[in-house]
């Protein structure tokens, strides 16, 4: 998968309650991120399998190239703060 340095990518699929929960919570953070539907992107599905023990576990999120499988909103924001703080609202 190619992503810009410092980018946040959320790998998800339709009807996934865990994906919907995380995406809903992220709406209120104003964090910039890219959504990738693994059912529409075979390369994205392969990437998720490569970091999730062969499973298509979603949401899987990358922050500056670091993968997290099914992170909480807090875990995700902590990773952004550590590895891509420029993406946080109010950073300049």
């Amino acid at each position: 998968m190619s992503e810009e340095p410092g980018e946040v990518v959320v790998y998800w699929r339709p009807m996934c309650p865990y994906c919907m929960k995380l995406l809903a919570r992220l709406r209120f953070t104003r964090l910039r991120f890219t959504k990738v539907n693994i059912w529409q992107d075979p390369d994205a599905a392969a990437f998720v399998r490569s970091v999730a023990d062969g499973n298509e576990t979603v949401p899987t999120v990358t922050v500056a190239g670091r993968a997290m499988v099914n992170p909480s909103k807090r875990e995700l924001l902590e990773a952004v703060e550590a590895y891509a703080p420029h993406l946080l609202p109010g950073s300049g």
Side-chain angles (χ1 to χ4, degrees), residues 18-34:
Y18 304 104
C19 298
M20 296 305 108
K21 181 179 175 183
L22 181 63
L23 290 169
R25 289 183 173 172
L26 289 179
R27 278 189 206 127
F28 298 102
T29 66
R30 296 185 356 214
L31 176 69
R32 292 175 298 162
F33 61 91
T34 302

Side-chain angles (χ1 to χ4, degrees), residues 60-81:
T60 291
V61 182
T62 58
V63 176
R66 292 166 175 83
M68 298 182 289
V69 178
N70 197 16
S72 68
K73 174 185 154 186
R74 190 186 95 223
E75 291 168 329
L76 174 53
L77 293 177
E78 287 173 354
V80 172
E81 188 174 309

Side-chain angles (χ1 to χ4, degrees), residues 5-72:
E7 184 178 11
V8 175
V9 180
V10 178
Y11 298 91
W12 70 286
R13 66 170 173 77
M15 298 181 294
C16 166
Y18 304 104
C19 298
M20 296 305 108
K21 181 179 175 183
L22 181 63
L23 290 169
R25 289 183 173 172
L26 289 179
R27 278 189 206 127
F28 298 102
T29 66
R30 296 185 356 214
L31 176 69
R32 292 175 298 162
F33 61 91
T34 302
K35 289 174 26 179
V36 178
N37 180 342
I38 67 166
W39 282 359
Q40 293 180 343
D41 186 333
D43 291 335
F47 171 74
V48 169
R49 288 191 302 274
S50 79
V51 298
D53 298 322
N55 300 304
E56 290 185 357
T57 305
V58 287
T60 291
V61 182
T62 58
V63 176
R66 292 166 175 83
M68 298 182 289
V69 178
N70 197 16
S72 68

